[in-house]
Amino acid sequence: MSAPSITLDSVDRGIPLLERDGYLLVRGVLSADEVQRARARCDAYLLADADAENEIEATALLRMPEMNFVFDERVIQALTVWLGGSLAYYPNYVARLNRRTEWHVDNGFSPKFLPDARHLYDPRFRHVQCVVYLQDNLPGAGGGLDVRPGSHGWAADGSFPDNEFLLRAYPEILSIDSKAGDLIVFDGRVMHRGTPQDGSQKVRKYGIFWSASRDDPEQIDRYIAYFQTRVAYLRARNLSSEEFQRDVQRHRLMQSVRFPDSYLPHAVDVIQRHAVAIAELPDAGVG
């Protein structure tokens, strides 16, 4: 089954699709040349081991011209429309190599991980995760994202997103048939996973991720508060020392992302001209 898709020339068509399905597939945001330049930058920065999992953290990614499609004027304008007329960006920009995940709702949108989750049930809630993959999502080989369409609907029902409940309530699985350079935008409350890979294609899997919401003080404060407590949560999970230190370092670097100093001049110009709110972690936000 193919996912419904739009282009940046048909932005208004995305409003009902995002509301109904909880995700959008936007074709051709990057050209083939832009994809290759972004892949080359990732290849140069990340580990040579094709089976490794590694990241380019926000402080480095924001200084890479090849990654500044995150601030493409067309993307900014489209997100503003889809999120209801205003836009905020967060400091968790990241490029990931070979990221593999099972079915989940991100912790920042799951009431069981939040001391106060009332905003998730607000009909005005507009918060999305954005990802551009730098390879096609192919059957077997993977390379992109799977979703359970409509699974953000748990919030409208006022229910609690226990994973087992969501697996039963939303049985349809869709592997989004994204191509290299397409943009996927999905509601933070949608159940999703990295498309499983069977090892049939030895292509390094790259995804560039960032978060956006409407410019709303409550949404911004709640998401930033989640990041402030994230390290304590990770410490309680008894992760391996290497994994824990990697996550702690990523969050410390997120804390140092500051506007305008962390951003390239082109990004600063677009952000200012389109009145994009830039949320930041306070100095004492990460322990």
Side-chain angles (χ1 to χ4, degrees), residues 156-220:
D157 296 337
S159 53
F160 187 81
D162 175 84
N163 282 352
E164 293 304 316
F165 166 79
L166 289 175
L167 291 171
R168 294 192 304 270
Y170 300 95
E172 181 186 351
I173 296 172
L174 178 67
S175 289
I176 299 176
D177 56 324
S178 58
K179 304 294 184 184
D182 289 348
L183 166 67
I184 300 172
V185 175
F186 63 98
D187 189 296
R189 300 165 299 185
V190 160
M191 197 177 208
H192 60 283
R193 68 177 177 183
T195 304
Q197 297 170 277
D198 63 10
S200 61
Q201 186 175 5
K202 294 296 183 182
V203 173
R204 288 158 68 90
K205 176 183 175 180
Y206 290 129
I208 290 73
F209 296 81
W210 71 101
S211 299
S213 77
R214 65 186 178 93
D215 182 8
D216 173 77
E218 183 178 52
Q219 286 196 52
I220 292 172

Side-chain angles (χ1 to χ4, degrees), residues 73 76 80 85-89 213-215 259 267-278:
E73 198 151 9
I76 295 286
T80 302
S86 65
L87 182 62
Y89 267 20
S213 77
R214 65 186 178 93
D215 182 8
F259 185 84
V268 172
D269 176 62
V270 173
I271 288 166
Q272 290 177 332
R273 283 192 291 106
H274 291 277
V276 180
I278 300 296

Side-chain angles (χ1 to χ4, degrees), residues 5-278:
S5 63
I6 65 171
T7 68
L8 290 175
D9 294 324
S10 55
V11 168
D12 288 344
R13 288 184 52 219
I15 298 172
L17 292 174
L18 185 59
E19 181 177 352
R20 182 192 71 189
D21 299 329
Y23 75 91
L24 279 176
L25 173 59
V26 189
R27 298 289 189 188
V29 171
L30 272 63
S31 68
D33 285 345
E34 289 171 324
V35 168
Q36 290 307 310
R37 287 197 292 270
R39 287 193 67 88
R41 173 64 83 159
C42 290
D43 284 341
Y45 188 92
L46 294 172
L47 297 175
D49 183 353
D51 295 322
E53 181 181 323
N54 202 4
E55 297 180 343
I56 303 177
E57 301 87 354
T59 48
L61 184 143
L62 289 171
R63 306 305 300 178
M64 297 176 176
E66 300 87 350
M67 302 299 178
N68 261 233
F69 55 80
V70 171
F71 307 102
D72 184 307
E73 198 151 9
R74 302 170 305 156
V75 171
I76 295 286
Q77 291 171 327
L79 286 168
T80 302
V81 169
W82 297 329
L83 294 172
S86 65
L87 182 62
Y89 267 20
Y90 295 84
N92 57 326
Y93 312 97
V94 62
R96 288 176 169 149
L97 165 63
N98 294 335
R99 180 72 167 174
R100 301 177 180 92
T101 58
E102 298 301 326
W103 287 112
H104 66 287
V105 173
D106 289 341
N107 293 351
F109 307 98
S110 179
K112 63 183 178 180
F113 296 112
L114 303 175
D116 185 351
R118 286 175 294 175
H119 63 296
L120 300 176
Y121 300 94
D122 187 335
R124 298 170 300 165
F125 180 88
R126 297 290 186 278
H127 199 133
V128 294
Q129 305 292 67
C130 307
V131 56
V132 171
Y133 288 107
L134 302 182
Q135 60 287 316
D136 297 349
N137 194 16
L138 301 172
L145 189 73
D146 290 359
V147 296
R148 291 181 179 257
S151 55
H152 61 311
W154 60 261
D157 296 337
S159 53
F160 187 81
D162 175 84
N163 282 352
E164 293 304 316
F165 166 79
L166 289 175
L167 291 171
R168 294 192 304 270
Y170 300 95
E172 181 186 351
I173 296 172
L174 178 67
S175 289
I176 299 176
D177 56 324
S178 58
K179 304 294 184 184
D182 289 348
L183 166 67
I184 300 172
V185 175
F186 63 98
D187 189 296
R189 300 165 299 185
V190 160
M191 197 177 208
H192 60 283
R193 68 177 177 183
T195 304
Q197 297 170 277
D198 63 10
S200 61
Q201 186 175 5
K202 294 296 183 182
V203 173
R204 288 158 68 90
K205 176 183 175 180
Y206 290 129
I208 290 73
F209 296 81
W210 71 101
S211 299
S213 77
R214 65 186 178 93
D215 182 8
D216 173 77
E218 183 178 52
Q219 286 196 52
I220 292 172
D221 289 348
R222 295 283 173 80
Y223 201 48
I224 290 299
Y226 158 72
F227 281 120
Q228 287 180 263
T229 61
R230 173 90 174 139
V231 170
Y233 162 75
L234 291 168
R235 185 174 288 113
R237 287 185 61 201
N238 295 319
L239 300 172
S240 68
S241 177
E242 180 181 354
E243 185 177 2
F244 175 70
Q245 291 302 325
R246 183 183 65 197
D247 279 342
V248 168
Q249 176 67 1
R250 180 186 169 212
H251 283 78
R252 284 179 176 152
L253 290 171
M254 281 171 49
Q255 185 183 346
S256 67
V257 173
R258 290 290 181 264
F259 185 84
D261 294 347
S262 301
Y263 297 74
L264 290 175
H266 168 74
V268 172
D269 176 62
V270 173
I271 288 166
Q272 290 177 332
R273 283 192 291 106
H274 291 277
V276 180
I278 300 296

